[in-house]
């Protein structure tokens, strides 16, 4: 019986690609350039499984029309708002993701952003590299203290909880959070956190706000102009979730007008495009979507995909099935 044909849309860790090659008839994107809509549509027609990443856009129209060979999308990542789940389901295509394995590394990046913006690390690093630092002075690049401040978390899933743990037990911060569903107070207390009823309640008391909610329609522009205005004037916004959770133009205006103090971003609305106005701001730290970018985590993510598609083609339920 022929092995299933698999397309890996971007380069993955070599160890994972080797396992895929052992088990399946694998095609790799050797150029490691994101596929366009025409190429993705052809992949759905020609392969039994397509293994996409956040850089691959799979809207509803890609699933329309001609017969599709693809039976499963093994997504490399926990977020899947770049895939039209309803359209995939309507064509009988299963979708899986990779939860759990990137929790700690993403929480670490959120902490890195928080500290970098608060202590003006990005500005200082640029000064040193440009040869512009003239020596220590009492008023040079004065930032804001982190210890003892209040951090507000939007979304208290795995990553939100890991971030809360770092903030409270690592930096002595007070932690409040908003979550769509109620969290047992005893469970929240394990992370030094307290749930508040609304997003606005969290924004009103937080010196730092960190987003850890899913992307997609239900949370698109959750942080809009009115919610940015509801933040404390000296507050800092951190986003390691998905770019569309923030109205980017409203954020730019809030930063330019001094509505908030600064921002740390790892994700953007139209990746890899980052607005010029954001790139020119000194009070913003910008990272190129590094949340899961460690050797250990990226390998674990790839092996999650391997486990999911192996189970599927063996006739078993994939452990991380979304639809």
């Amino acid at each position: 019986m022929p092995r299933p044909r698999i397309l890996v849309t971007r380069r993955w860790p070599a160890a994972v690609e080797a396992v895929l090659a052992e088990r399946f008839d694998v095609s790799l994107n050797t150029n490691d350039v994101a596929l366009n809509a025409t190429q993705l549509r052809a992949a759905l027609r020609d392969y039994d499984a397509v293994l996409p990443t956040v850089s691959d856009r799979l809207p509803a129209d890609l699933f329309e029309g001609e017969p599709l060979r693809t039976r499963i999308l093994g997504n490399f990542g926990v977020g899947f708002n770049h895939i039209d789940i309803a359209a995939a389901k309507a064509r009988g295509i299963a979708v899986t993701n990779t939860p759990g394995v990137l929790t700690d590394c993403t929480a670490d990046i959120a902490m890195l952003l928080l500290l970098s913006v608060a202590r003006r690390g990005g500005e200082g690093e640029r000064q040193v590299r440009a040869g512009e630092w003239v020596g220590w002075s009492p008023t040079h690049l004065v930032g804001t203290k982190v210890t003892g401040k209040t951090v507000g978390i939007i979304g208290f899933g795995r990553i939100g909880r890991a971030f809360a743990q770092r903030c409270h037990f690592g930096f002595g911060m007070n932690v409040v959070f908003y979550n769509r569903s109620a969290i047992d107070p005893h469970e929240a207390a394990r992370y030094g956190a307290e749930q508040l009823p609304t997003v606005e309640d969290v924004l009103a008391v937080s010196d730092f706000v960190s987003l850890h909610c899913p992307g997609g329609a239900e949370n698109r522009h959750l942080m809009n102009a009115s919610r940015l205005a509801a933040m404390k004037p000296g507050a800092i916004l951190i986003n390691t979730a998905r770019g569309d959770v923030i109205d980017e133009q409203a954020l730019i205006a809030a930063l330019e007008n001094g509505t908030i103090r600064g921002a740390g971003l790892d994700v953007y609305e139209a990746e890899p495009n980052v607005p010029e106005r954001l790139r020119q701001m000194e009070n913003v730290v910008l990272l190129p979507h590094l949340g899961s970018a460690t050797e250990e985590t990226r390998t674990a993510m790839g092996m999650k995909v391997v486990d999911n598609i192996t189970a599927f083609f063996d006739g078993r339920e994939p452990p991380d099935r979304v639809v």
Side-chain angles (χ1 to χ4, degrees), residues 105-133:
C105 287
T106 305
D108 288 346
I109 285 287
M111 202 72 233
L112 170 66
L113 286 168
L114 186 152
L115 292 168
S116 296
V117 182
R119 298 303 305 275
R120 303 178 68 176
E123 296 173 73
E125 206 264 355
R126 286 190 290 275
Q127 273 193 10
V128 172
R129 285 186 180 274
E132 296 172 353
W133 183 43

Side-chain angles (χ1 to χ4, degrees), residues 280-299:
Q280 293 301 318
M281 291 181 186
E282 288 290 349
N283 59 336
V284 180
V285 174
L286 306 170
L287 295 180
H289 205 144
L290 296 180
S292 63
T294 65
E295 181 180 350
E296 298 90 341
T297 294
R298 291 281 169 87
T299 298

Side-chain angles (χ1 to χ4, degrees), residues 4 21 24 39 48 52 60 66 77 88 108 117 119-121 141 151 168 181 194 210 215 222 225-226 239 279 287 315:
F24 304 102
Q39 292 169 314
D48 298 300
E66 58 192 319
D108 288 346
V117 182
R119 298 303 305 275
R120 303 178 68 176
L141 288 182
V151 60
H168 182 70
S181 57
E194 176 190 0
S210 190
L222 177 132
S226 63
N239 189 17
R279 288 188 279 121
L287 295 180

